[in-house]
Amino acid sequence: MNNASRVENERAYLVTGGKPLKGEVGVSGAKNAATKQLVAALLTDEKVTLRNVPAIGDVDATVEMLQGLGTSVEFSENIATIDASNVKTPEVAAAFSRKNRIPILLMGPLMHRFGEARIPMLGGCKIGARPIDLHLEGLRKMGADIVCEDGFYVARAKRLKAAAIELAFPSVGATENLMFAAVKAKGTTTITNAAIEPEIIDTAMLLQSMGALIHLDANRTWVIEGVDKLHGADHRVLADRIEAASFGVAAALTRGQVFVRGARQADMLSFLNAMRRVGVPFTVESDGIAFGSAENYNPVIVETGTHPGFMTDWQQPFVMLLTQANGVSIVHETVFEDRFGYTEALVKMGANIQLHHDCLGSKDCRFRHQNFLHSCIVSGPTTLKAADIQIPDLRAGFSYLLAALMAQGQSRVTGVELIERGYENIIGKLTGLGADIKAE
Ligand code: UD1
């Protein structure tokens, strides 16, 4: 870690646990849609307005990155207005590769404009190797010539052409990357075994509003007929189902009662199903979901997967919930090979969590026999004690807050920039529910 990132990772929250969270919280727009849609605005020279954009670190970083290319972006009151008519360079500044994985998605939009894109190597959360082979393979099939030069991926194509692409795994990022390339490529592209997460469907809706010819066919196949020109649009970003689930778990864990305004049942079926099996009461209402709590929770088996499966970003708060279930639960992570590192700190706080290399659960995944600690056994219930904890990545960060909100005593949670990358006004929202949390 260099000096700059060390300082960046030293901000902390002080959390005193033991208070039930009660009341109502509004869910913000989805990080995983808004950041991509900001990039999609580069596909036109006309004005794109995005509403319900969360004020979070990853959005700020994306806005700065677009501005660095010459795009005019205004962002206030959760509305972003993007005018990309003056984009002047195909090169994304190296600094942005350290923040997240959004820069790689600019390959298509910049190649459409300049015949070239220069993208710095990626950073992002440390949750597995996260290669981009599927992105590059698909773009190469569409005629891009991609090489590595001086720490940059340099992709070149005079005009991208359509291709029939089958992804080896339904990668969210690769699907989005290829969509952005295909909407203005010559001919009709098919992306099979593609990701179909609600955030991607929301981004496809924006592209359609911009004039794209795009639809979802059988077998997870996106069909995209390239057009010469896209136009401006006005789009509202869907609600963040990860944030919604995080507050649902917070209600259950602290033995509280929280109405999550804006939570959408359709996007959270697998999560709600798992909550029901654990014994967390919830009621679906027309404008949100009310989560309650119970005295005792049941142990369950959960396997993460691509949509419509149980989201990998729900895994971390859910593991926290399972520390309070009566008995032995199993969680099998099949999307990222290394997404349990955060449990070490929870064990120090008193949780009983064991990691395993085997595929525990009902199915084998692609990490079988590969020596990755990608399953865990959680035995509960356990009492957690307050601690000083350092956040390793964004979603684990919220779990640490949950641990601190439950634990007896005051915890100091460091590295909160990682949480602020993805959760809007987290202190305001939690204190609004009665939590004792403040920035140090
Ligand atoms: C996105 C989300 C993240 C979520 C994840 C899975 C954003 C900003 N992030 O991440 O919150 O947890 O989807 O729902 O939207 N892979 C390859 N080769 C590739 C690309 C991916 O092997 O070229 C592998 C990855 O290493 C990982 C798996 O596929 O094991 C899933 O990755 P992907 O779906 O691409 O996740 P992201 O788009 O990075």
Side-chain angles (χ1 to χ4, degrees):
M1 197 186 283
N2 63 30
N3 281 344
S5 47
R6 194 172 292 122
V7 170
E8 221 179 51
N9 287 336
E10 273 170 6
R11 279 183 41 227
Y13 295 159
L14 297 176
V15 186
T16 304
K19 297 215 163 67
L21 298 192
K22 288 195 172 148
E24 176 178 321
V25 66
V27 65
S28 298
K31 168 180 95 70
N32 289 353
T35 45
K36 323 301 174 71
Q37 293 171 10
L38 285 162
V39 170
L42 255 66
L43 291 162
T44 177
D45 279 341
E46 295 179 21
K47 197 169 87 178
V48 172
T49 303
L50 299 175
R51 299 174 195 277
N52 201 31
V53 176
I56 53 174
D58 270 9
V59 163
D60 291 342
T62 310
V63 166
E64 264 179 57
M65 177 177 69
L66 298 187
Q67 287 170 336
L69 295 170
T71 319
S72 142
V73 188
E74 282 167 33
F75 179 42
S76 71
E77 311 271 316
N78 298 114
I79 298 176
T81 314
I82 308 107
D83 175 350
S85 55
N86 285 323
V87 170
K88 56 181 188 305
T89 168
E91 179 168 316
V92 176
F96 293 107
S97 67
R98 284 195 292 275
K99 303 202 170 167
N100 57 39
R101 288 164 56 84
I102 305 299
I104 194 78
L105 301 181
L106 281 158
M107 276 197 171
L110 291 173
M111 274 194 279
H112 291 313
R113 275 172 186 270
F114 298 103
E116 180 179 272
R118 300 177 63 83
I119 310 293
M121 303 290 195
L122 297 171
C125 288
K126 296 181 190 65
I127 46 171
R130 306 186 91 181
I132 54 162
D133 53 321
L134 303 175
H135 299 237
L136 302 186
E137 221 171 90
L139 289 171
R140 284 184 175 128
K141 253 193 137 174
M142 296 181 74
D145 174 43
I146 307 173
V147 291
C148 285
E149 277 173 18
D150 307 327
F152 283 80
Y153 290 104
V154 182
R156 294 188 183 93
K158 278 207 179 73
R159 169 104 201 248
L160 288 165
K161 58 179 192 329
I165 299 165
E166 179 161 5
L167 296 179
F169 182 82
S171 152
V172 167
T175 301
E176 292 161 337
N177 208 335
L178 297 172
M179 267 183 174
F180 294 164
V183 280
K184 289 174 88 176
K186 190 172 164 42
T188 300
T189 297
T190 52
I191 315 169
T192 305
N193 195 31
I196 53 168
E197 267 63 6
E199 294 77 18
I200 299 188
I201 292 176
D202 198 61
T203 298
M205 286 161 66
L206 166 66
L207 293 172
Q208 186 171 63
S209 300
M210 291 168 71
L213 282 166
I214 179 168
H215 76 275
L216 186 54
D217 210 345
N219 300 326
R220 309 177 77 97
T221 301
W222 287 102
V223 181
I224 305 164
E225 186 179 333
V227 295
D228 289 337
K229 206 167 178 292
L230 293 176
H231 53 71
D234 190 317
H235 177 80
R236 184 178 168 83
V237 178
L238 88 167
D240 196 311
R241 65 199 170 113
I242 309 173
E243 187 196 20
S246 302
F247 281 112
V249 170
L253 266 179
T254 61
R255 281 11 194 227
Q257 170 85 40
V258 175
F259 178 64
V260 185
R261 183 170 293 284
R264 300 192 339 155
Q265 180 187 19
D267 301 338
M268 300 175 70
L269 275 176
S270 305
F271 172 78
L272 293 172
N273 202 43
M275 289 290 263
R276 176 146 293 154
R277 285 193 290 121
V278 167
V280 176
F282 62 85
T283 313
V284 177
E285 296 179 19
S286 59
D287 51 353
I289 302 174
F291 292 93
S293 47
E295 195 67 29
N296 293 302
Y297 294 123
N298 311 312
V300 293
I301 299 174
V302 170
E303 296 183 82
T304 66
T306 48
H307 191 74
F310 190 95
M311 241 192 136
T312 169
D313 305 67
W314 290 329
Q315 181 254 99
Q316 303 83 348
F318 210 76
V319 163
M320 276 311 307
L321 180 58
L322 296 178
T323 66
Q324 302 312 304
N326 293 314
V328 177
S329 296
I330 288 174
V331 182
H332 181 200
E333 169 63 63
T334 75
V335 179
F336 288 105
E337 71 275 26
D338 184 19
R339 223 176 186 184
F340 282 123
Y342 72 96
T343 55
E344 199 183 318
L346 300 178
V347 169
K348 284 194 189 134
M349 292 175 80
N352 186 341
I353 304 171
Q354 293 159 344
L355 304 188
H356 292 266
H357 293 109
D358 299 321
C359 294
L360 303 181
S362 65
K363 58 185 171 205
D364 287 343
C365 76
R366 66 208 158 100
F367 306 136
R368 184 173 153 83
H369 297 320
Q370 289 203 47
N371 229 17
F372 295 123
L373 288 167
H374 71 292
S375 295
C376 79
I377 297 181
V378 187
S379 307
T382 43
T383 308
L384 301 189
K385 45 186 188 306
D388 282 3
I389 31 183
Q390 171 84 35
I391 293 170
D393 69 61
L394 195 164
R395 301 301 166 196
F398 196 91
S399 287
Y400 285 5
L401 283 190
L402 289 174
L405 288 167
M406 288 174 57
Q408 295 304 322
Q410 189 184 72
S411 295
R412 180 170 185 269
V413 185
T414 319
V416 295
E417 295 75 12
L418 286 166
I419 299 183
E420 293 167 3
R421 269 182 49 193
Y423 291 87
E424 184 173 50
N425 184 24
I426 188 67
I427 291 198
K429 288 189 183 187
L430 286 171
T431 49
L433 294 171
D436 186 342
I437 174 171
K438 59 178 186 231
E440 189 179 45

